[in-house]
Amino acid sequence: MTVGTDAAEAPLSAPLNVGFDYTRSVGPVLGHFVTALRERRIDGVRGSDGRVHVPPVEYDPTTAEPLSEFVTVANEGTVLSWSWIARPLDGQPLARPFAWALIRLDGADTAILHAVDAGAPEHIGTGSRVRVRWADEPVGHIRDIACFDLVDPPAGHTPTESPAAPPVAERADGDPVGIVITPIHLRYQHSASPEESRYLRALAEGRLLGQRCPVCRKVYIPPRGACPVDGVPTVEEIDLPDTGIITTFCIVNVPFLGQRIKPPYVAAYILLDGADIAFLHLVLGCDAADVRMGMRVRASWKPRDEWGTTLENIQHFEPTGEPDAPYESFAHHL
């Protein structure tokens, strides 16, 4: 069915948070560095030219040879350069305005980047002397240095509260640090295009809305606003059924952080009847081993009172029991 459009509706917009716990092994050099931090000590490494690098580097910048001569440096140093952060972001070292600074610790020849709790930009400058503020409970992470404080703070300056400790990988008490975990988040405001907004609003009504190219007559869902083949606007909107076929699929056997379904389960590309492009969704309602290319499926919708402007209104797709589609009928959609 062809439906009309309402150009007066404003595009949808919502906050988007993409995040995960970045987990990495640290190796012998950085492992030594973060293990020392856990003991409230800062260790650098000496290069072939005698310079002490903090944080330590794994290979000599001059000869490219591995480095292993560790040197303990002071927990005080000098600000070489700085930048004031007037509006801190979530996850940064301090919740109130602070300075990012390059700090050369006494005994080191290179600078370390960290936060300075200066209180106001007029209190910090090139040459300012700063001192490490250690985390209340060091765990073996760069965040064991909660921040740096001014050695001579201005009158009335009150240190801000230190952030919470990061997650810690499992290890026996006293073992050297071999893995560090750093939570990473990207938060921004995402605005859908006018075409995507109409598609999302249709989902809130239980409809699957695509757009047809006026030249090649291909139907795209979600709609793109223009045909990628012919480069012309796609203004004709088409209501599509919630039935289709599986073109390709993957059986997920590996667990991962935030997984909502216990493996094994199937993620598949679903080509709706009447559409010319497939989209990714879950396939449940049968054993994962029984899923196959060409299997006909139908959408399983959430209860209507749980619908919103999202494809998550469809919980999953499940087999209809109809005969499989012949490979030739969907081969050009792979």
Side-chain angles (χ1 to χ4, degrees), residues 33-41 134 138 141-142 144-145:
F33 175 66
V34 292
T35 298
L37 290 179
R38 187 179 63 187
E39 300 166 2
R40 299 187 176 181
R41 189 181 76 249
W134 294 103
H141 195 281
I142 188 61
D144 291 346
I145 300 176

Side-chain angles (χ1 to χ4, degrees), residues 47-66:
S48 62
D49 57 1
R51 297 198 311 151
V52 176
H53 300 269
V54 178
V57 293
E58 296 176 291
Y59 298 93
D60 192 291
T62 303
T63 67
E65 293 297 319

Side-chain angles (χ1 to χ4, degrees), residues 260-302:
R260 300 178 184 179
I261 303 174
K262 184 179 179 180
Y265 62 89
V266 173
Y269 276 96
I270 309 297
L271 181 68
L272 296 179
D273 296 333
D276 291 281
I277 190 167
F279 59 82
L280 190 65
H281 216 297
L282 293 172
V283 174
L284 302 176
C286 67
D287 192 285
D290 293 333
V291 174
R292 54 199 178 271
M293 296 172 68
M295 175 182 274
R296 289 200 54 78
V297 291
R298 181 185 301 277
S300 176
W301 295 77
K302 290 181 178 178

